[in-house]
Amino acid sequence: MSTQSERAACWREHVERWRRSGQTQAAYSAEHGVSKKSLGYWVRQARQEAARKPDSSLTLVAARAVGITPPRQAAEVLLLRSPSGWSLQFGALPPASWLAEVLAHGAA
């Protein structure tokens, strides 16, 4: 039987994989055979932990559109996701100067 810290580490890994997947919690849970309720609990725990850390920073992750009509022209998608759980998705890349300012002030 695994210890509490081993279970927590396993769930933290699932939370990170879910975040990188771009899937809903329900879809990720079904695909990986884990409880949707437990995944939701550990996502909330991760958000609370990140909110307590003053040095939390933004994380850039690859994004893919799910269940929406693609843009008329092929465009890159940018997803900004914070460790506390909020995210911003752009169908077109914003100006580099604006993005640099957001990233510079995002951890503040």
Side-chain angles (χ1 to χ4, degrees):
M1 180 172 220
S2 62
T3 67
Q4 185 176 0
S5 62
E6 290 172 333
R7 284 192 302 275
C10 179
W11 278 107
R12 281 192 295 273
E13 181 63 28
H14 273 298
V15 169
E16 285 306 311
R17 288 181 183 173
W18 163 72
R19 285 181 173 157
R20 289 190 304 262
S21 75
Q23 296 177 301
T24 64
Q25 289 180 20
Y28 178 90
S29 298
E31 183 177 319
H32 295 277
V34 297
S35 164
K36 177 184 166 198
K37 185 175 179 179
S38 293
L39 179 61
Y41 168 83
W42 285 100
V43 167
R44 287 188 303 279
Q45 293 299 310
R47 287 178 182 158
Q48 290 172 0
E49 183 179 317
R52 288 189 297 267
K53 292 181 181 177
D55 61 341
S56 295
S57 60
L58 296 173
T59 303
L60 296 176
V61 296
R64 61 185 174 90
V66 178
I68 61 173
T69 306
R72 291 183 186 178
Q73 294 180 337
E76 294 184 45
V77 175
L78 173 67
L79 175 66
L80 298 177
R81 182 176 291 154
S82 78
S84 61
W86 61 263
S87 63
L88 297 172
Q89 184 171 341
F90 300 87
L93 296 177
S97 59
W98 179 86
L99 184 57
E101 186 175 338
V102 168
L103 294 173
H105 294 92

